[in-house]
Amino acid sequence: MSKEVRVRFAPSPTGHLHIGGARSALFNFLFARSQGGKFIVRIEDTDQARNVEDATEKLMDSLKWLGIDWDESMDIGGPHAPYRCMERLDIYESYLQQLLDEGKAYYDYMTEEELQKEREEQLARGEAPKYSGRDRDLTPEQRKAYEDQGITPVVRFRVPEGQSVLVQDAVRGDVTFETEDIGDFVIARKDGIPTYNFAVVVDDHLMEISHVIRGEEHLSNAPRQALVFEAFGWEKPMFAHASLILNPDRQKMSKRDESIMQFVEQYQELGYLPEAIVNFLALLGWSPVGEEELFSLEELEHQFSLERVSKAPAVFDTDKLAWMNNQYVKEADVERLTKLAIPHLQKENKLPATLNDEQYEWTKKLVSIYQEQMHYAAEITTLTELFFQREITYNEEAKEVLSGEQVPEVLDHFSQELEDVTVEPEEIKAAIKATQKATGQKGKKLFMPIRVAVTGQTHGPELPQAIALLGKSTVQARLSEAVKQ
């Protein structure tokens, strides 16, 4: 095996990029970059029944959105092409035949009904279900008899009896499995297509993969894969199984769990920033040196190490993610945020499908006054509701503000001051100051009635900016309505 660090992310094209898969991809990418190695993306598409059309493209697009690039894959090629498993069937076939010829694999003719009955009988006896080995040592005559009945076999790996399988794990240390608990496993289906646990070993060997970094849920696959490596006499890669990711209730995350968004594309659609998602995922099971929590991708590349990957489960804290994304939103270019926010406002029919220059600049100013508050771009629709309401409904707190005896005078004077100014923030500040001078009111007795009358809220964005965006006619109409109230 090459001494160069070579790692891979090998997803199955069964849907969108899951946050667990994204973390595995990120850990592999960061480790490769930290070691000056290579990061390979390979598509494990041998389970044809579960493959989803266009899933590969969506997976790759999500990785690119996160800023994760690769050194070898289907799109850019590489010295170990092809990088899609279904295009490597002829390669697998020769290695399958080698194991069959050496007696390390064999044909199994048991039907699904027979296997199911066998499993049920084992469970009834209180045993863990595993293949009994019925067809382990068939004679040529017995095989022919099955084939004459039209039964198509699978290929099973012959698991050595009474042995221990050592898996060296950079996160968990040495992990030992007993072969008596494994049972002979299928390495090629009836249609001749290899199963994951066989194909992945052949590919990892031929692509010179040095480290296999993935989630803990794959730990049970490790002994099977280790046995296949040993059967060929190949050097095993170093494994590294990162911790489980738990949902906010500290339960094992399930793809059927609807209490949490689990796919990268969902966060992209809501207007999260990719650098925040990367930062958050990196801290799911990896700890940096020190107390700092905010890291750029480049900083993560320099800091990442397998030694600081944890065995303890990581909790996917949605509040923490929203907080972290807000930190990035605050520092983001307002032009970028505006482009993320516009589709959400258009979806709610708050903006036209096509914006002219004036409308775009207005929207940019709108986004800028909520930049500090936004956790993600889609929030702009609720944060800015007051700018798109035709009528304001005052809550009890607002009504109490408007009930002050000084309110009619303050609102009336402010309305008069607005008549002679252009609606720009500096001129609005001057109009408020003139109102203060004319009425003798100041502080909350001055500002709060104007804010409530104009926005319907007792708190919100800077008042001059809000009034400038609402426009003179809207503000005057709201002031008049508030006096009536």
Side-chain angles (χ1 to χ4, degrees):
M1 180 180 289
S2 167
K3 292 182 180 179
E4 179 187 40
V5 166
R6 290 176 57 82
V7 295
R8 48 75 173 174
F9 176 55
S12 298
T14 56
H16 303 285
L17 179 60
H18 188 264
I19 50 179
R23 185 191 66 167
S24 292
L26 178 63
F27 280 14
N28 277 281
F29 169 81
L30 293 176
F31 183 65
R33 295 292 175 262
S34 71
Q35 301 296 313
K38 295 289 192 299
F39 174 56
I40 295 97
V41 173
R42 186 175 73 220
I43 301 300
E44 303 277 0
D45 59 348
T46 58
D47 192 346
Q48 297 285 283
R50 296 180 63 232
N51 291 347
V52 175
E53 188 177 359
D54 298 330
T56 297
E57 290 71 21
K58 289 179 179 178
L59 286 166
M60 306 286 264
D61 286 346
S62 289
L63 289 175
K64 289 175 185 174
W65 179 73
L66 290 170
I68 298 174
D69 57 11
W70 43 85
D71 302 291
E72 301 171 26
S73 192
M74 302 175 306
D75 56 342
I76 59 175
H80 302 285
Y83 293 92
R84 187 191 293 270
C85 291
M86 285 303 289
E87 296 173 4
R88 299 173 61 83
L89 294 182
D90 57 332
I91 298 173
Y92 305 134
E93 186 177 355
S94 64
Y95 287 101
L96 277 169
Q97 192 58 53
Q98 179 182 334
L99 291 185
L100 287 165
D101 292 344
E102 294 174 356
K104 296 174 181 175
Y106 60 92
Y107 292 108
D108 166 34
Y109 296 85
M110 287 187 76
T111 64
E112 281 302 317
E113 291 76 19
E114 289 172 324
L115 286 168
Q116 181 60 31
K117 182 181 178 184
E118 184 175 89
R119 282 191 289 266
E120 289 172 355
E121 290 173 349
Q122 289 169 336
L123 288 169
R125 293 194 298 268
E127 301 171 1
K130 67 176 184 179
Y131 177 65
S132 64
R134 189 199 74 175
D135 291 355
R136 248 181 166 238
D137 300 301
L138 294 178
T139 64
E141 293 76 22
Q142 289 172 315
R143 281 183 52 197
K144 184 176 183 305
Y146 282 125
E147 287 165 7
D148 288 344
Q149 296 175 50
I151 300 174
T152 305
V154 298
V155 178
R156 284 188 184 271
F157 182 84
R158 191 185 297 273
V159 175
E161 296 180 35
Q163 292 187 17
S164 296
V165 184
L166 175 65
V167 174
Q168 292 181 302
D169 194 302
V171 175
R172 297 166 189 283
D174 289 349
V175 185
T176 303
F177 300 84
E178 301 303 322
T179 56
E180 64 183 32
D181 299 324
I182 298 174
D184 296 350
F185 53 94
V186 176
I187 57 174
R189 302 180 184 89
K190 292 183 178 183
D191 57 9
I193 296 176
T195 60
Y196 165 74
N197 277 322
F198 179 78
V200 72
V201 171
V202 174
D203 290 339
D204 283 348
H205 171 72
L206 296 179
M207 294 183 186
E208 302 179 90
I209 299 302
S210 62
H211 296 72
V212 173
I213 305 168
R214 56 192 181 184
E216 183 185 332
E217 64 274 13
H218 284 285
L219 184 59
S220 60
N221 288 321
R224 293 169 175 80
Q225 292 164 15
L227 284 168
V228 177
F229 274 107
E230 291 171 4
F232 285 113
W234 295 338
E235 183 180 351
K236 289 176 284 190
M238 172 62 74
F239 290 93
H241 291 91
S243 63
L244 288 174
I245 301 177
L246 306 180
N247 68 18
D249 296 325
R250 297 182 176 271
Q251 301 298 313
K252 184 177 178 181
M253 196 178 291
S254 161
K255 288 185 179 181
R256 293 182 294 277
D257 184 356
E258 296 182 359
S259 67
I260 180 174
M261 293 188 301
Q262 299 196 36
F263 299 98
V264 169
E265 203 169 316
Q266 292 174 297
Y267 292 95
Q268 183 180 2
E269 288 172 355
L270 280 177
Y272 277 78
L273 300 182
E275 55 267 40
I277 299 292
V278 163
N279 193 160
F280 180 76
L281 289 175
L283 298 178
L284 282 179
W286 171 80
S287 58
V289 176
E291 300 299 318
E292 181 62 45
E293 290 187 292
L294 300 178
F295 299 94
S296 68
L297 187 58
E298 186 178 0
E299 289 169 333
L300 289 169
E301 289 175 21
H302 286 111
Q303 281 216 31
F304 186 83
S305 69
L306 291 178
E307 287 74 22
R308 298 194 69 84
V309 174
S310 173
K311 291 185 285 188
V315 177
F316 194 96
D317 185 338
T318 51
D319 292 336
K320 178 72 172 289
L321 174 56
W323 169 85
M324 185 170 284
N325 200 67
N326 175 249
Q327 304 307 302
Y328 283 90
V329 166
K330 288 176 182 178
E331 300 299 321
D333 178 67
V334 69
E335 196 90 36
R336 179 188 182 193
L337 294 179
T338 302
K339 290 175 180 176
L340 290 174
I342 284 172
H344 297 286
L345 292 167
Q346 289 171 325
K347 185 179 178 182
E348 298 292 324
N349 297 315
K350 293 180 175 181
L351 290 178
T354 304
L355 277 65
N356 59 33
D357 291 345
E358 184 180 351
Q359 290 166 327
Y360 179 82
E361 288 303 317
W362 181 88
T363 306
K364 189 161 79 169
K365 290 176 183 176
L366 182 70
V367 170
S368 70
I369 68 174
Y370 285 100
Q371 185 168 353
E372 290 286 313
Q373 292 174 253
M374 269 198 300
H375 293 94
Y376 49 89
E379 278 191 334
I380 197 70
T381 60
T382 52
L383 287 171
T384 61
E385 188 64 39
L386 72 93
F387 291 93
F388 303 98
Q389 290 174 322
R390 290 189 176 183
E391 297 180 359
I392 292 178
T393 302
Y394 300 105
N395 61 24
E396 291 305 313
E397 188 180 10
K399 287 177 181 177
E400 185 176 344
V401 170
L402 293 178
S403 68
E405 60 181 2
Q406 87 288 6
V407 170
E409 182 185 19
V410 168
L411 298 186
D412 184 57
H413 271 283
F414 183 62
S415 180
Q416 291 177 41
E417 293 293 339
L418 285 182
E419 290 292 343
D420 300 322
V421 301
T422 58
V423 192
E424 292 296 330
E426 288 306 314
E427 294 199 29
I428 293 163
K429 287 180 184 177
I432 294 173
K433 193 169 184 179
T435 302
Q436 176 183 338
K437 187 174 181 181
T439 63
Q441 301 296 335
K442 59 184 180 180
K444 285 189 175 182
K445 288 193 173 184
L446 172 68
F447 288 98
M448 197 60 79
I450 297 174
R451 176 179 290 282
V452 169
V454 171
T455 69
Q457 301 173 353
T458 54
H459 55 82
E462 288 288 331
L463 192 54
Q465 284 89 337
I467 291 173
L469 285 170
L470 283 165
K472 185 182 290 189
S473 61
T474 298
V475 170
Q476 293 285 38
R478 291 185 178 183
L479 288 170
S480 176
E481 184 62 31
V483 171
K484 291 178 185 176
Q485 294 266 353

